[in-house]
Amino acid sequence: MVYIISFFTLAGYSFSFWMIVGVIRFFYEKLVQQEPKRDIRAQPMTVKDVAAVIPAHNEAYSIRRTIRALKRVLPRQNIYVASDYSTDKTVIYARKLGVQVADIRPNLGKAKAIVYMLKRYKLIKRYKAVLINDADREIDKNYMKLALPLFQDPKAAVVAPHSNPRWYKYTWWELLFITYRFRLWRVVQYGMRFGQTWKFTNVSYIVPGSLCLYRTRVLKRLTIDVPGLIIEDFNMTFEVHKKKLGYIAYDPRIFGWEQDPHNLKDYIRQIKRWNLGFWQTVKHNGIWPSMFWFSTGSFILELLSYSLFIIFMPGILVYFLLTNFAPLHLPFIYATLTVTDIVIGVFVMDY
């Protein structure tokens, strides 16, 4: 019993709970065959009903690969590139591929660029769904075939994608970051998101900001460009829950490839944006009585406790060095913490 409790403590109680829910969901969906809910008054959504918006700033290196991947799943006239004050050949390359391109000047930022495209091309009125596709993300060829049927249920508000890292021939230093992120995506998506996006739970706190497919009637009610928020995806997800616009659909087979940071500078910059964006969103939206906030609040408390533990980690290691590795007693936390516990519980457990 003590080993089971230790595992849950090291892995995290929130993560462990949603991992168990995810396992239950997996077997439930395998064993219980249910017809998906359908809106008999509405025609099934097709690729002609979907527009793709690609916010891009100096993405000449990747924009062609991104557009070509999209053209395999959508008509080219349904693809819209928002070049946000690009000074390289982003606009030239995009126009050569025959898609709609807006050369936005001056710089607006990603969120405002998306809003600009929605208004300029009247995408919410003309289409039933909008895909937001970052310029360095490639969509899978089966994305629409698997995602669009989920919208047959009128309560489905948005399809959250599964993310896969893009692999190149990295150096050993670059592999340190890529392999860590590869592991992180697997843990977060299969261990938490799968359980949190089950139709009986619907408490996921994030729909990734790229390769997400929103119903336009839902998108119309979201505030995409909130002043002061540095990223838009957390806030859009919180608003889906807060305004009770429907549930977040997720299937690991609906995915795309993304370019994760493979050096320390880019990694730190991305993590700073994610963390700051999350806390800004929490402050902006506040707390409201719901299962969503019960789940998210539990996750935040666990996140804070682990953060404090990591902050004090250097001091704990110094203590072991000065006391010849004598066990440390931590009141209410650990009776006899040893250096072996630290190595296994923090470093080995993480990797």
Side-chain angles (χ1 to χ4, degrees), residues 195-256:
Q196 290 179 337
T197 54
W198 195 13
K199 63 181 180 180
F200 299 121
T201 57
N202 188 36
V203 294
S204 178
Y205 61 89
I206 179 63
V207 173
S210 184
L211 294 179
C212 49
L213 185 63
Y214 281 89
R215 283 190 191 271
T216 49
R217 63 172 170 80
V218 170
L219 204 57
K220 180 171 62 175
R221 297 188 58 188
L222 300 180
T223 309
I224 301 174
D225 56 339
V226 177
L229 298 191
I230 62 170
I231 54 178
E232 77 294 334
D233 46 7
F234 279 119
N235 185 68
M236 292 171 70
T237 309
F238 272 56
E239 286 198 0
V240 168
H241 292 292
K242 193 173 186 178
K243 297 178 179 179
K244 299 180 180 179
L245 300 178
Y247 69 85
I248 298 166
Y250 169 72
D251 185 330
R253 297 175 300 167
I254 302 170
F255 69 93

Side-chain angles (χ1 to χ4, degrees), residues 6-289:
S6 296
F7 173 80
F8 287 158
T9 302
L10 294 171
Y13 292 104
S14 179
F15 168 79
S16 300
F17 174 79
W18 288 115
M19 180 178 64
I20 293 171
V21 172
V23 172
I24 296 172
R25 173 187 174 178
F26 175 79
F27 285 107
Y28 178 88
E29 293 180 347
K30 288 289 185 182
L31 298 175
V32 181
Q33 300 294 328
Q34 288 187 329
E35 284 292 323
K37 293 182 180 179
R38 299 172 184 267
D39 186 352
I40 58 176
R41 298 168 298 176
Q43 292 294 323
M45 201 178 296
T46 69
V47 293
K48 293 181 180 180
D49 300 315
V50 180
V53 175
I54 308 175
H57 173 71
N58 289 341
E59 297 286 357
Y61 175 77
S62 60
I63 192 70
R64 288 173 291 186
R65 187 170 57 233
T66 299
I67 293 174
R68 287 179 183 132
L70 265 175
K71 288 172 71 175
R72 290 198 294 265
V73 299
L74 290 177
R76 63 178 177 82
Q77 64 268 23
N78 291 31
I79 301 172
Y80 299 81
V81 175
S83 176
D84 193 25
Y85 196 52
S86 296
T87 55
D88 60 3
K89 295 184 178 181
T90 298
V91 172
I92 296 173
Y93 291 159
R95 284 177 176 162
K96 284 184 177 180
L97 290 171
V99 299
Q100 306 286 337
V101 182
D103 191 2
I104 302 172
R105 296 175 184 274
N107 176 268
L108 295 178
K110 179 185 175 181
K112 291 185 182 298
I114 293 172
V115 173
Y116 174 87
M117 298 298 284
L118 294 176
K119 291 180 178 179
R120 173 174 174 175
Y121 295 98
K122 300 179 181 179
L123 302 183
I124 288 180
K125 291 183 179 180
R126 294 169 54 201
Y127 297 94
K128 295 180 180 179
V130 170
L131 176 82
I132 300 173
N133 192 154
D134 284 357
D136 60 350
R137 304 292 196 269
E138 290 179 56
I139 195 169
D140 177 63
K141 63 181 180 180
N142 295 313
Y143 184 106
M144 292 299 167
K145 183 171 68 175
L146 296 170
L148 292 182
L150 298 178
F151 282 142
Q152 291 181 9
D153 184 347
K155 294 183 180 180
V158 54
V159 175
H162 185 84
S163 297
N164 284 329
R166 185 184 291 119
W167 287 94
Y168 295 112
K169 292 182 178 180
Y170 294 107
T171 65
W172 69 269
W173 175 248
E174 292 171 337
L175 279 172
L176 178 67
F177 299 97
I178 294 296
T179 52
Y180 179 82
R181 182 58 59 81
F182 186 86
R183 192 277 305 173
L184 179 66
W185 283 134
R186 287 291 183 270
V187 169
V188 170
Q189 293 178 126
Y190 287 118
M192 293 190 71
R193 185 178 298 164
F194 190 68
Q196 290 179 337
T197 54
W198 195 13
K199 63 181 180 180
F200 299 121
T201 57
N202 188 36
V203 294
S204 178
Y205 61 89
I206 179 63
V207 173
S210 184
L211 294 179
C212 49
L213 185 63
Y214 281 89
R215 283 190 191 271
T216 49
R217 63 172 170 80
V218 170
L219 204 57
K220 180 171 62 175
R221 297 188 58 188
L222 300 180
T223 309
I224 301 174
D225 56 339
V226 177
L229 298 191
I230 62 170
I231 54 178
E232 77 294 334
D233 46 7
F234 279 119
N235 185 68
M236 292 171 70
T237 309
F238 272 56
E239 286 198 0
V240 168
H241 292 292
K242 193 173 186 178
K243 297 178 179 179
K244 299 180 180 179
L245 300 178
Y247 69 85
I248 298 166
Y250 169 72
D251 185 330
R253 297 175 300 167
I254 302 170
F255 69 93
W257 291 272
E258 63 178 76
Q259 179 57 60
D260 285 304
H262 51 272
N263 60 67
L264 184 60
K265 181 181 177 181
D266 290 344
Y267 182 82
I268 291 175
R269 182 167 56 193
Q270 185 186 73
I271 293 299
K272 279 185 175 181
R273 282 176 54 81
W274 285 357
N275 283 311
L276 180 57
F278 175 75
W279 291 113
Q280 286 179 332
T281 299
V282 169
K283 181 181 179 181
H284 173 73
N285 286 276
I287 301 173
W288 65 95

